[in-house]
Amino acid sequence: MIEVREVTKRYGAKTVVDRLSFTAKPGQVTGFLGPNGAGKSTTMRMIVGLDAPSSGDVLVNGKPYASSKAPLREIGVLLEAKAAHPGRTAVSHLLSLARTHGIPRSRVDEVLDLAGLSAVAHKRVGAFSLGMGQRLGIAAALLGDPAVVMLDEPVNGLDPEGVLWVRKLLTGLAAEGRTVMLSSHLMSEVSLIADHLVIVGRGRLLADTTVADLVTAE
Ligand code: ADP
Ligand code: ADP
């Protein structure tokens, strides 16, 4: 479960996130939708403790995430700033993350398979397409078998087949009782993948609704 409570983030005089509150529950795929600059990445960075709110609270499974002793195992994250080093192979990137986080090596093969990357496991990440890079980022997020999965723009750069793969993957993770959250600036993408929608604009909550409610006309 991810709880964002009355969170405000200011950079200097600029308010980037403005008294934002929402909950992403286990068993659901929560889509975090808003135009570029709406404050989605900033909110996600605060959820994983890479940035501190100016005011308000962020809780992951009832605790502030920054205090977690085993981050990758509690929450798996795909962030735009967390790309793998281009000179490494997919396998060496994942092995090094696994080592740092005390995750068994055997899990690396599992996530490579899950991400459809087994065939390119020994290729350098620098030679990957955007879509393969996204798959590797998603594989890294799932490495610790986390109860909470949070992905910033996971569908960026994926072809339609990749989008369907993400949908199937995330729906499956939610069905296992995990909390899944993904951001996007495209309604067409999130409405395809998410059940629950949190829509933001200029750092403020615009709507907290279900996809079914949005698309069902009276
Ligand atoms: P989104 O992910 O929805 O595109 P962001 O959270 O990346 O939005 O950005 C929201 C706003 O915050 C943007 O106007 C961006 O320029 C600003 N911003 C983000 N990080 C910083 C920072 N470290 N310092 C100053 N402004 C920032
Ligand atoms: P570095 O920044 O030196 O490359 P790491 O990649 O381990 O070191 O990242 C620094 C922090 O970000 C660590 O606390 C780590 O747990 C966290 N982190 C890195 N990648 C992920 C990920 N995919 N999911 C969750 N947390 C991550």
Side-chain angles (χ1 to χ4, degrees), residues 56-103:
D57 296 299
V58 178
L59 300 176
V60 176
N61 292 335
K63 319 187 279 283
Y65 174 74
S67 68
S68 170
K69 291 275 191 296
L72 256 184
R73 301 166 84 154
E74 194 143 339
I75 176 166
V77 186
L78 171 72
L79 290 175
E80 287 181 23
K82 273 276 154 214
H85 189 280
R88 294 203 123 162
T89 66
V91 129
S92 71
H93 172 66
L94 293 173
L95 278 175
S96 112
L97 268 178
R99 201 177 308 121
T100 310
H101 295 273
I103 295 160

Side-chain angles (χ1 to χ4, degrees), residues 11 14 16 35-42 45:
Y11 288 113
K14 192 171 172 193
V16 170
N36 285 324
K40 303 181 301 295
S41 296
T42 303
R45 281 204 309 273

Side-chain angles (χ1 to χ4, degrees), residues 15-197:
T15 301
V16 170
V17 176
D18 194 1
R19 286 163 295 159
L20 182 63
S21 298
F22 66 86
T23 301
K25 294 194 183 117
Q28 283 190 335
V29 178
T30 295
F32 194 27
L33 176 69
N36 285 324
K40 303 181 301 295
S41 296
T42 303
T43 301
M44 291 178 129
R45 281 204 309 273
M46 291 190 284
I47 292 170
V48 293
L50 289 175
D51 217 338
S54 304
S55 63
D57 296 299
V58 178
L59 300 176
V60 176
N61 292 335
K63 319 187 279 283
Y65 174 74
S67 68
S68 170
K69 291 275 191 296
L72 256 184
R73 301 166 84 154
E74 194 143 339
I75 176 166
V77 186
L78 171 72
L79 290 175
E80 287 181 23
K82 273 276 154 214
H85 189 280
R88 294 203 123 162
T89 66
V91 129
S92 71
H93 172 66
L94 293 173
L95 278 175
S96 112
L97 268 178
R99 201 177 308 121
T100 310
H101 295 273
I103 295 160
R105 293 173 66 97
S106 57
R107 181 70 186 151
V108 168
D109 285 333
E110 280 176 30
V111 295
L112 281 168
D113 186 39
L114 204 64
L117 292 174
S118 300
V120 294
H122 296 283
K123 280 215 166 118
R124 284 190 323 108
V125 172
F128 276 21
S129 66
L130 200 55
M132 281 155 71
Q134 286 290 63
R135 284 173 180 260
L136 179 60
I138 294 170
L142 299 180
L143 198 57
D145 201 14
V148 180
V149 178
M150 199 185 69
L151 310 172
D152 197 1
E153 300 271 358
V155 191
N156 243 357
L158 291 182
D159 56 13
E161 189 203 333
V163 176
L164 293 179
W165 168 73
V166 171
R167 170 164 74 167
K168 202 168 151 219
L169 178 72
L170 298 189
T171 306
L173 292 169
E176 290 168 3
R178 296 175 213 259
T179 303
V180 181
M181 178 169 162
L182 80 153
S183 73
S184 173
H185 59 283
L186 293 175
M187 179 64 153
S188 53
E189 274 175 15
V190 256
S191 62
L192 196 68
I193 299 172
D195 327 296
H196 169 219
L197 274 187

